[in-house]
Amino acid sequence: MTVKELIESGKFHSINEQGDCTKEITVPFCCDLLSIAMSKAPAGAAWVTVMGNVNTIAVASLTEVSVLILAQGMKLDEFALKKARSQNVIVLATAMPIFETAYWIYNQMHE
């Protein structure tokens, strides 16, 4: 599944699509502790979190996740949005809980 396919699924609200939407999603990854995400998030992951700040954008960029998904209705602050745009970090949002979001992605990847 690519980021573009995830966007086109209609399940997510787009916050920032500036970036490579052709990237493959390798695995969903759930984590709200940035230090753990920095060392454990696999490149190509769809990272699902409730952390919507500039530090989350930095970790997403460093770990080369394919897409950052804010769950449970969370939003980026204006500074984080600017950073996401400048770093080409694709950010989507959903009202679904973290686990349900990751599980939905997992199921779509394995259809």
Side-chain angles (χ1 to χ4, degrees):
M1 166 180 261
T2 65
V3 174
K4 182 179 180 182
E5 291 170 331
L6 192 66
I7 293 167
E8 290 174 349
S9 73
K11 283 283 207 184
F12 303 95
H13 168 72
S14 178
I15 295 176
N16 180 50
E17 287 186 36
Q18 289 180 221
D20 185 2
C21 291
T22 64
K23 285 184 181 178
E24 286 288 326
I25 296 171
T26 57
V27 64
F29 175 75
C30 303
C31 186
D32 289 329
L33 189 56
L34 296 180
S35 60
I36 298 294
M38 193 177 328
S39 65
K40 303 287 184 187
W47 178 17
V48 187
T49 184
V50 295
M51 300 292 293
N53 61 43
V54 69
N55 294 328
T56 306
I57 301 302
V59 171
S61 181
L62 286 171
T63 58
E64 298 180 359
V65 298
S66 291
V67 60
L68 175 67
I69 301 170
L70 298 177
Q72 296 182 215
M74 294 297 147
K75 299 178 181 181
L76 287 181
D77 61 48
E78 193 60 36
F79 184 63
L81 178 57
K82 287 179 185 175
K83 192 58 142 176
R85 288 178 177 151
S86 72
Q87 295 292 316
N88 292 319
V89 174
I90 298 170
V91 184
L92 305 178
T94 181
M96 292 188 295
I98 293 171
F99 175 79
E100 288 178 22
T101 302
Y103 188 64
W104 185 87
I105 293 168
Y106 178 86
N107 284 331
Q108 296 304 302
M109 291 174 65
H110 293 92
E111 280 191 338

